Amino acid sequence: MNIHVPAARAPGGRVDAQRAVSSEAGASGGAARAARPLLPVAAGLLLLYLPSITDLAQGLWQTDTHSHGPIVLAVVVWLFYRQLRPALADGSAGSSARRPVSGGLLLAAGLLVYVLGRSQSFPVLEVASLLPVLLGCSLLLLGAPTTRRLWFA
């Protein structure tokens, strides 16, 4: 989603290109500043799920039946990014509507399912655990309104 910032007009009707560029940079910079607290969580999730994704890429995703897996994963990541970026830019993410109890329970349940699936070499459980883990992290860090926005991403 592109953000259109109208050009700033200087006295006399001239377009002030420098002010227009700086206001556009400020709009995208707000999203970057708001995303900084999410970077450690994203790094942790990447470290947690990278071995599972690697196992899937070397095994299950090599078959004709499941070869669409990487495409689905890439589309889901892009859709989440597309929905999350406006929420971070407008400041609604991380609002006071956080849900620590439900978010913590979902995160704990998802991590338990992940550990069970990883320890028993059951890739379906490992991948299925991603949903409650992401939902729990979203409720804990971003709040309920942003989680609702991501629901059908």
Side-chain angles (χ1 to χ4, degrees):
M1 180 165 146
N2 293 335
I3 299 172
H4 174 70
V5 178
R9 297 222 177 251
R14 291 188 336 261
V15 174
D16 188 352
Q18 186 174 358
R19 281 196 321 185
V21 169
S22 67
S23 65
E24 188 173 317
S28 64
R33 272 191 305 278
R36 282 189 194 129
L38 301 177
L39 291 177
V41 175
L45 289 172
L46 187 64
L47 286 174
L48 186 67
Y49 284 99
L50 193 61
S52 300
I53 292 170
T54 303
D55 290 346
L56 288 170
Q58 294 173 350
L60 198 59
W61 288 348
Q62 296 290 325
T63 65
D64 288 338
T65 309
H66 300 286
S67 61
H68 63 281
I71 297 168
V72 171
L73 180 63
V75 167
V76 167
V77 167
W78 177 75
L79 287 171
F80 267 82
Y81 171 75
R82 192 182 89 175
Q83 291 286 35
L84 188 59
R85 188 167 183 210
L88 292 173
D90 68 15
S92 64
S95 66
S96 61
R98 293 183 181 154
R99 303 281 190 248
V101 174
S102 56
L105 288 174
L106 280 166
L107 180 60
L111 291 174
L112 183 66
V113 170
Y114 176 82
V115 168
L116 182 66
R118 193 78 183 148
S119 68
Q120 301 304 312
S121 298
F122 196 42
V124 173
L125 283 180
E126 292 177 47
V127 174
S129 72
L130 188 57
L131 293 173
V133 166
L134 285 176
L135 185 58
C137 287
S138 179
L139 285 170
L140 284 169
L141 298 172
L142 303 173
T146 305
T147 301
R148 273 188 233 105
R149 180 183 257 179
L150 294 174
W151 190 260
F152 291 104

